[in-house]
Amino acid sequence: MTTVKQNLSRGGELPGSDSARLDLEVLLAHLLGRSRTWLYTWPEYELSENEQRQFDDLLIRRAAGEPVAHLTGEREFWSLSLQVDASTLIPRPDTELLVETALALCPATPQRVLDLGTGTGAIALALASERPAWQLLAAEKSPRALALAERNRSNLGLDNVRIVESDWFAQIPPQTFDLIVSNPPYIDAADPHLDEGDVRFEPRSALVAGREGLADIEVIAAAAIDYLAPGGWLIVEHGWQQAPAVRVIFEDAGLVSIESRKDYGDRERLTLGRRQC
Ligand SMILES: C[S@@+](CC[C@H](N)C(=O)[O-])C[C@H]1O[C@@H](n2cnc3c(N)ncnc32)[C@H](O)[C@@H]1O
């Protein structure tokens, strides 16, 4: 029989991970249905044969590169526990900057908000949880991701979000929003990072866009102007080297008050602009 403590010392079996200890803790806590704190309270707990076999399997899959979030089926975003699967992006902490920016920009009074490419529903659900008076529409092209977002919405009981299938704006009936947000695909197909780490297990449709990663942002910005209320905001996440190009795209789309915001690493990771009042 092997104890919790012995299993947590198996970091050497995950040489490719830069967070081996954390991976072990998250996977073991998930398998045992306990918190990570519990592992430290009960280091001498002995895993049953069945638990040990399952944990060994998880370590083999993790060592082969599978993301921890795919192995546990969940990821926390904005303190919300979201189900994840291989149909879309695993929500990233970076995207919390977009949520923070949106919350700071718009009043808590009723607002009509659109989240394009919602994936797990991360952005829309985070905004809905913070602003019960807002009405959110979350659009997604992938039917599997759409079903995942709907499961997350239902599990969190957030009734102020409606999830719909749409290819960007194509299936959104004419109407106006006070705020449109999106974390669209923005990686260039030739980017070597696509062959590293978790992204190898995420769909290209959630990551890659043409025209050096800018094609989807161009489509969104060009169409957004017709869907924004006067004074309404568009906020888009993008790569840290894309901000100057995205500002030009926003200008060409007719948006005003354009600026990019930096993350905690001092890198410009999102751009916002509004429709003239
Ligand atoms: C980078 S992921 C972002 C997912 C989620 N919003 C987040 O921040 O974690 C981009 C999402 O856009 C979706 N997508 C890609 N092309 C789309 C399109 N033409 N119309 C709508 N959604 C699209 C992908 O399926 C994916 O879920």
Side-chain angles (χ1 to χ4, degrees):
M1 296 286 218
T2 316
T3 65
V4 160
K5 190 175 173 185
Q6 287 166 324
N7 276 297
L8 290 182
S9 65
R10 296 172 65 186
E13 293 175 44
L14 302 177
S17 171
D18 52 11
S19 56
R21 174 72 188 197
L22 180 64
D23 295 358
L24 289 166
E25 289 180 11
V26 171
L27 292 173
L28 190 52
H30 168 75
L31 178 74
L32 298 178
R34 306 285 187 175
S35 66
R36 282 169 55 210
T37 314
W38 185 92
L39 302 177
Y40 286 95
T41 315
W42 303 100
E44 302 307 331
Y45 172 86
E46 290 184 349
L47 275 68
S48 69
E49 257 179 51
N50 189 30
E51 287 169 340
Q52 191 60 59
R53 201 172 32 250
Q54 289 184 59
F55 189 60
D56 293 345
D57 281 351
L58 286 173
L59 286 205
I60 290 168
R61 289 170 65 189
R62 179 64 190 136
E66 265 189 77
V68 171
H70 284 179
L71 297 175
T72 62
E74 64 189 8
R75 173 54 54 91
E76 193 167 294
F77 179 81
W78 199 263
S79 298
L80 305 175
S81 175
L82 300 178
Q83 289 186 13
V84 300
D85 63 26
S87 67
T88 185
L89 192 85
I90 300 166
R92 306 287 203 270
D94 312 33
T95 303
E96 294 188 344
L97 177 65
L98 192 156
V99 175
E100 276 172 32
T101 305
L103 292 173
L105 213 53
C106 298
T109 51
Q111 303 284 300
R112 291 150 302 166
V113 180
L114 174 64
D115 173 23
L116 290 171
T118 200
T120 55
I123 298 170
L125 297 173
L127 293 174
S129 72
E130 292 288 340
R131 296 286 185 262
W134 290 9
Q135 287 299 323
L136 291 107
L137 190 62
E140 169 60 50
K141 186 179 177 187
S142 149
R144 275 188 66 208
L146 198 72
L148 178 68
E150 179 52 37
R151 277 202 302 283
N152 283 322
R153 189 207 62 74
S154 166
N155 289 344
L156 294 166
L158 290 165
D159 295 333
N160 53 336
V161 182
R162 201 158 59 85
I163 296 173
V164 295
E165 187 168 348
S166 183
D167 178 353
W168 299 136
F169 288 95
Q171 284 78 39
I172 311 282
Q175 61 194 293
T176 56
F177 297 91
D178 304 299
L179 171 66
I180 300 175
V181 291
S182 185
N183 174 17
Y186 53 74
I187 302 178
D188 186 300
D191 190 322
H193 292 103
L194 289 167
D195 298 323
E196 295 169 12
D198 286 5
V199 291
R200 289 171 297 164
F201 292 82
E202 294 172 305
R204 287 290 191 267
S205 54
L207 299 164
V208 172
R211 297 215 347 94
E212 299 178 337
L214 295 167
D216 285 319
I217 294 177
E218 284 176 347
V219 171
I220 291 168
I225 198 93
D226 292 331
Y227 282 86
L228 283 170
W233 289 97
L234 171 67
I235 314 177
V236 169
E237 179 175 317
H238 49 69
W240 64 280
Q241 291 169 312
Q242 293 174 326
V246 175
R247 288 193 292 269
V248 171
I249 291 170
F250 273 36
E251 269 171 43
D252 291 348
L255 295 163
V256 298
S257 309
I258 297 163
E259 59 172 297
S260 299
R261 295 274 173 92
K262 290 180 176 175
D263 63 13
Y264 296 110
D266 208 29
R267 298 182 305 185
E268 291 181 315
R269 290 303 311 283
L270 56 84
T271 293
L272 44 130
R274 72 194 316 190
R275 183 176 160 189
Q276 189 99 47
C277 291

